[in-house]
Amino acid sequence: MAETLTILGLESSCDDTAAAVVADGPDGARILSSVVLGQADLHAAFGGVVPEIAARAHSEKLDLAVRRALSEAGVTLRDIDALAVTAGPGLIGGVLAGVMLAKGIAAGTGLPLIGVNHLAGHALTPRLTDALPCPYLMLLVSGGHCQLLTVRGPASFERLGGTIDDAPGEAFDKVARLLGLPQPGGPAIEREAAAGDPARFALPRPLLDRPGCDMSFSGLKTAALRQRDLLIAERGGLTRQDRADLCAGFQAAVAEVLAEKTRRALAQSGAPALAVAGGVAANATIRAALKRVADAAGVAYVAPPLALCTDNAAIIAHAGAELFRAGHRDGMDLAARPRWPLDTGRPAMLGGGRKGAKA
Ligand code: KG4
Ligand code: ZN
């Protein structure tokens, strides 16, 4: 590999304003800094991300995130070799804020500019954390997205399947809401489920009876709602144990669907390794189910640390470094894209979760 590249990355496609500096060299990639300024407090009252509020907060905070990332890395813009910025998919106001700042820095410094697909940032994370060679199978599973991809290179992805309606994290969040648990719902459900019996309620395993790797989670959420209403009608309310059992049953159903669809995708792709990314990959039951799938198939299993599974700019800088080495450059006409499928050879999925094609 050629000399070390120092890349400044920007991320602003959803509700995290992030900047990072990554040094990509012969011994692999090193994160010199990774600053993530969350916006959870701004959106809490609305029960979800409000795009206009997110865009304004990104415009206000991106500058600060960049300054902090440079200072924590102990570098200045003079030490940077290229700028990598999320150019989509995501909430367009936020993506525009990042792309405009990156263009401004590029115009002022003459640095090369690289527009990065946010999903590619996630999908390439195991190469940043574990130097995982391509090809590998990636299960990208978050609050806004769910897809199975064969990763062949920094700009070469084949989608084998994905959700046709809700993303799993979105389903976790909705089920938590209907059980009166706090947001984000994933960790809350996982905590409750620890004391529950996953076999008490017969919740469905959507689409497992159909061939292929596509998934569906919206019916599962509705089944949980029906079960809750049934308990309320029968006994006038839910006991703590009822709630724990529902959480355990729901979590087990999601884990089983993800594991079985991943098993099929692994067989189909023939990839020698399985990797996961996205907030839902934090769930221990799901992680363990996927590890069993990898072990049974005799392939390696990579689950990056949680801070790099969720949204951050280090994964964008790293993807930018890979693209830069492959000769990718963008000009001042780089567009911000609300939708940007990774696998352009296939028709877009029907659903991608509450944030559109966002992960
Ligand atoms: O990747 P992420 O941080 O953000 C985006 O979706 O962009 O994922 C957040 C999602 C939320 O829906 C949250 O409920 C879910 O990941 N999540 C979990 C767990 N931790 C976070 N789901 C299940 N189990 C968890 N432990
Ligand atoms: Zn993401």
Side-chain angles (χ1 to χ4, degrees):
M1 189 189 277
E3 87 290 13
T4 297
L5 290 172
T6 306
I7 310 278
L8 171 65
L10 305 182
E11 157 62 35
S12 55
S13 64
C14 190
D15 58 351
D16 289 302
T17 309
V21 179
V22 168
D24 184 67
D27 304 327
R30 255 182 336 121
I31 300 172
L32 302 186
S33 66
S34 180
V35 174
V36 180
L37 306 175
Q39 305 177 353
D41 49 333
L42 298 179
H43 303 286
F46 304 96
V49 178
V50 183
E52 291 78 8
I53 294 177
R56 189 175 321 149
H58 286 308
S59 308
E60 286 169 5
K61 287 196 197 159
L62 264 167
D63 209 36
L64 174 67
V66 168
R67 281 174 207 279
R68 269 201 207 160
L70 290 171
S71 124
E72 283 177 23
V75 299
T76 69
L77 281 174
R78 270 188 245 286
D79 303 305
I80 300 294
D81 295 306
L83 301 164
V85 61
T86 298
L91 300 173
I92 194 63
V95 179
L96 265 170
V99 167
M100 285 191 315
L101 179 62
K103 283 183 184 176
I105 299 174
T109 57
L111 285 171
L113 176 67
I114 303 149
V116 173
N117 184 313
H118 177 87
L119 303 174
H122 280 305
L124 296 171
T125 305
R127 296 175 56 70
L128 165 65
T129 58
D130 293 77
L132 186 64
C134 293
Y136 55 89
L137 183 76
M138 158 63 56
L139 171 64
L140 179 47
V141 67
S142 73
H145 218 95
C146 176
Q147 55 183 308
L148 284 155
L149 298 160
T150 304
V151 181
R152 300 196 195 285
S156 176
F157 306 93
E158 186 188 351
R159 196 187 67 221
L160 304 176
T163 183
I164 59 166
D165 42 52
D166 290 356
E170 188 177 8
F172 267 99
D173 293 343
K174 286 180 180 168
V175 169
R177 220 167 278 139
L178 60 90
L179 292 177
L181 294 169
Q183 298 293 311
I189 289 194
E190 182 169 23
R191 267 193 309 274
E192 288 288 315
D197 170 11
R200 176 169 160 208
F201 300 112
L203 294 175
R205 276 31 178 181
L207 296 192
L208 270 202
D209 54 339
R210 302 227 204 117
C213 302
D214 280 343
M215 293 166 259
S216 159
F217 296 98
S218 115
L220 186 52
K221 166 200 71 197
T222 311
L225 172 65
R226 266 203 216 103
Q227 197 52 252
R228 179 202 70 172
D229 290 346
L230 214 61
L231 287 167
I232 293 174
E234 278 171 7
R235 311 193 203 150
L238 248 56
T239 63
R240 214 166 163 176
Q241 193 58 50
D242 291 338
R243 190 162 77 175
D245 292 343
L246 257 177
C247 286
F250 170 78
Q251 178 177 269
V254 174
E256 196 179 319
V257 170
L258 288 174
E260 171 56 16
K261 296 291 178 169
T262 301
R263 188 192 65 74
R264 291 181 198 175
L266 211 41
Q268 196 179 321
S269 82
L274 168 65
V276 288
V280 179
N283 185 285
T285 301
I286 293 172
R287 274 189 185 240
L290 295 171
K291 169 91 168 59
R292 281 196 297 275
V293 169
D295 288 349
V299 304
Y301 178 60
V302 176
L306 183 59
L308 292 171
C309 278
T310 53
D311 287 353
N312 66 90
I315 60 172
I316 303 304
H318 165 256
E322 291 225 36
L323 289 167
F324 188 85
R325 289 196 191 280
H328 289 253
R329 304 287 185 277
D330 284 294
M332 285 298 160
D333 57 350
L334 172 66
R337 304 169 64 171
R339 298 212 164 253
W340 185 0
L342 271 184
D343 181 351
T344 45
R346 289 181 189 228
M349 297 295 289
L350 294 177
R354 66 165 184 249
K355 297 166 194 160
K358 174 72 182 68

